[in-house]
Amino acid sequence: MASVGGAPLLVVVGGGGGKVALWRERCPGCRQERKVQASDGIPYADFLYIWIACLCASLPIQSLFPYLYFMIRDLKVAKEEQDIGFYAGFVGATYFLGRTISAVPWGMFADKYGRKPCIVISILSVIVFNTLFGLSTTYWMAIVTRGLLGLLCGILGPIKAYASEVCRKEHQALGISLVTSSRAIALVIGPAIGGFLAQPAQKYPNLFSEDSIFGRFPYFLPCFVISLLAAGSCIACIWLPETLHFHDDDKAESIEELEAQVRGSESTKNLLKNWQLMSAIILYCVFSLHDTAYLEIFSLWAVSSRKFQGLSLTSQDVGTVLAFSGFGVLVYQLAIYPFLAKYVGPIKTFRPAAILSIILLSMYPFMANLHGMELKILITMASVLKNMFAATITIACNILQNTAVTQEQRGVANGISVTLMSMFKAVAPAAAGILFSWAQKHISGLFLPGNQILFLMLNMVSVIGLVLTFKPFFSLPNSTRHS
């Protein structure tokens, strides 16, 4: 044991490959890294906290879709029924616009002050602004509260870096997949909460009266329940370990810096010139745009009238379909995907998933010819498959991004990723809403029916993403070339 600048150190030399490590007992990052290196097992407790935090950050997004159409209708901002999709798109877009503005600052904050403070502040923003969204009485109040929620919920970038830092390298795929699986369980719980708890005075008159707060604010109950879950998650953050290294002595080098010197690796300070990172981020952005636009279009299309080539489902029906599909994706990510990643590799599953997604989505417009239980079963199965393909692509993109940079750059790198991805996601709901309204006003008279053009345009985004997975555009990191 030695001391540098008053900070106790533990120096470890050799031990496989001649690596040199410099530990500081007062540094939370050093303590966590020593803990990770000392154990070959999976850090289940840390993964659980990551999963809970991601879940609560995802619920406000996923719970919105079953009742958004009806909320916009009740706010009386749309002059015609066909215009509801137009206004609904901007409600979803403002959240991602706020996240676009704040993603890089949140990444810098996480790299300077730690991952844990960023996660806690993000969960607090969910509690406050998600609650206020449920109390919205005007369209502009809904827009502002969703925008502020996106602005102050900066968890997505830092949590990905965090998930790759609390475990050994061989468990990173599982850690990052948990971030995605939290979205999968949010796809189960969120739509169920939104579909079954919205408009409670109408659905459950024996429990909620029209004069109660839940009768006067028909979309407050699902938001309130999510805020309660977020409050519990905020308490659970007490047990989150910090993974960022804090060293007071500027002359001393961190563990990662010493290892980088031994390996002779180059520092990628200008991340925008790191093409391995940027090619993975651009792929992620394209498929994120597709997934967000799909979810917006699906939720609007499912509840719209048969006269506009919709499915005429209720908010409960949509909540049930999305909840079942989310459960199917959760089972896939926990029971099937780890074997695919182990024996095939996370990268080789990328293109087949994109191709199968395109084929599946081209069949959606013809489901409007079905009715009753046959329709519900088929649309649920299709939704499960669609989300499985999306999860496969998302996990691969996240792995590519995090293996293209060193630890001290992951917060900012993921911040750049979230910024660009959020820009695409901000465009997606607005564009999807505009396209959906256009399709409903052009049922016939074109070379294809409006709903078929709608899903054709959606598929074109996937085709672009698929093309971008080939050289010379795509650059695979060395660490994953033989995955």
Side-chain angles (χ1 to χ4, degrees):
M1 183 73 70
S3 177
V4 176
L9 306 177
L10 175 64
V11 180
V12 181
V13 181
K19 291 184 179 180
V20 180
L22 205 61
W23 310 103
R24 287 170 175 74
E25 294 294 340
R26 297 177 186 175
C27 172
C30 288
R31 287 196 299 268
Q32 178 62 22
E33 190 157 350
R34 288 177 60 186
K35 178 182 174 182
V36 168
Q37 296 299 326
S39 175
D40 293 332
I42 299 173
Y44 290 105
D46 294 341
F47 280 173
L48 176 62
Y49 300 142
I50 291 171
W51 187 81
I52 292 174
C54 288
L55 173 64
C56 290
S58 299
L59 283 176
I61 303 173
Q62 305 300 339
S63 65
L64 177 67
F65 294 103
Y67 64 82
L68 179 59
Y69 184 93
F70 304 101
M71 184 179 189
I72 299 301
R73 181 197 64 189
D74 292 347
L75 291 176
K76 301 185 185 305
V77 65
K79 295 180 180 179
E80 298 179 342
E81 187 177 353
Q82 299 97 311
D83 293 328
I84 291 177
F86 176 86
Y87 290 99
F90 289 102
V91 174
T94 52
Y95 173 87
F96 296 109
L97 179 61
R99 201 162 71 178
T100 300
I101 297 171
S102 64
V104 169
W106 274 120
M108 296 171 65
F109 179 93
D111 281 346
K112 184 174 182 180
Y113 299 104
R115 320 301 193 207
K116 184 173 178 177
C118 181
I119 293 170
V120 172
I121 294 172
S122 298
I123 297 300
L124 288 174
S125 71
V126 171
I127 297 172
V128 174
F129 294 105
N130 183 63
T131 301
L132 291 176
F133 176 75
L135 295 172
S136 297
T137 55
T138 67
Y139 179 71
W140 288 109
M141 181 177 178
I143 288 285
V144 170
T145 52
R146 290 294 290 184
L148 289 174
L149 176 59
L151 189 70
L152 296 176
C153 187
I155 195 173
L156 188 56
I159 203 73
K160 291 177 186 176
Y162 187 85
S164 65
E165 294 168 357
V166 296
C167 61
R168 297 172 70 93
K169 186 176 181 179
E170 57 265 30
H171 303 309
Q172 285 182 355
L174 176 60
I176 295 176
S177 71
L178 283 174
V179 175
T180 309
S181 72
S182 67
R183 294 178 56 210
I185 196 64
L187 280 170
V188 180
I189 300 175
I193 291 174
F196 287 91
L197 298 185
Q199 301 171 310
Q202 297 179 24
K203 296 173 183 175
Y204 317 107
N206 294 331
L207 296 176
F208 304 95
S209 69
E210 291 286 350
D211 296 328
S212 67
I213 187 173
F214 301 113
R216 290 181 286 115
F217 301 96
Y219 306 100
F220 173 60
L221 183 57
C223 295
F224 179 67
V225 170
I226 291 171
S227 295
L228 287 179
L229 294 174
S233 173
C234 195
I235 296 173
C237 287
I238 295 173
W239 291 278
L240 277 177
E242 180 57 70
T243 60
L244 189 65
H245 292 271
F246 294 95
H247 298 155
D248 295 332
D249 187 357
D250 294 334
K251 295 181 181 180
E253 295 176 291
S254 69
I255 300 165
E256 293 75 27
E257 290 172 332
L258 286 175
E259 290 180 339
Q261 288 180 9
V262 173
R263 295 192 305 264
S265 64
E266 296 181 5
S267 175
T268 53
K269 294 183 179 180
N270 191 344
L271 294 177
L272 295 177
K273 295 182 180 179
N274 182 344
W275 186 240
Q276 291 180 350
L277 171 66
M278 294 309 298
S279 62
I281 288 178
I282 293 172
L283 275 176
Y284 183 43
C285 289
V286 171
F287 283 103
S288 293
L289 183 148
H290 173 269
D291 292 342
T292 305
Y294 162 78
L295 193 54
E296 182 82 15
I297 287 173
F298 175 80
S299 61
L300 296 173
W301 172 66
V303 299
S304 62
S305 174
R306 288 278 181 177
K307 65 183 179 181
F308 299 122
Q309 298 179 330
L311 303 183
S312 291
L313 299 179
T314 65
S315 62
Q316 293 100 316
D317 292 332
V318 175
T320 301
V321 169
L322 293 178
F324 269 108
S325 64
F327 179 76
V329 175
L330 179 64
V331 172
Y332 167 74
Q333 288 189 322
L334 296 180
I336 301 174
Y337 180 78
F339 290 98
L340 288 177
K342 182 177 180 180
Y343 294 107
V344 180
I347 310 305
K348 291 182 180 179
T349 59
F350 196 113
R351 292 187 190 118
I355 294 170
L356 291 172
S357 177
I358 293 169
I359 296 172
L360 177 65
L361 205 59
S362 64
M363 301 177 183
Y364 267 53
F366 303 101
M367 295 184 191
N369 298 321
L370 303 175
H371 297 81
M373 189 57 64
E374 183 183 26
L375 169 63
K376 293 178 182 178
I377 292 174
L378 191 59
I379 197 67
T380 300
M381 293 174 60
S383 184
V384 170
L385 291 173
K386 177 66 181 70
N387 289 327
M388 284 171 53
F389 300 145
T392 302
I393 293 169
T394 299
I395 294 172
C397 288
N398 286 329
I399 292 174
L400 287 170
Q401 291 173 40
N402 281 281
T403 54
V405 294
T406 56
Q407 190 216 26
E408 64 270 13
Q409 295 174 321
R410 282 182 189 144
V412 175
N414 279 286
I416 294 172
S417 172
V418 173
T419 298
L420 296 177
M421 179 266 290
S422 296
M423 289 174 64
F424 280 68
K425 282 196 170 187
V427 171
I434 293 170
L435 184 60
F436 178 80
S437 293
W438 176 88
Q440 288 200 323
K441 293 177 180 178
H442 296 81
I443 300 300
S444 60
L446 300 172
F447 68 98
L448 286 174
N451 64 335
Q452 292 189 32
I453 295 177
L454 181 67
F455 286 100
L456 176 63
M457 295 296 292
L458 196 56
N459 257 340
M460 289 304 299
V461 179
S462 287
V463 171
I464 292 171
L466 179 61
V467 171
L468 294 180
T469 64
F470 293 93
K471 293 182 178 180
F473 175 84
F474 188 55
S475 180
L476 193 66
N478 292 328
S479 59
T480 58
R481 285 186 190 277
H482 305 292
S483 295

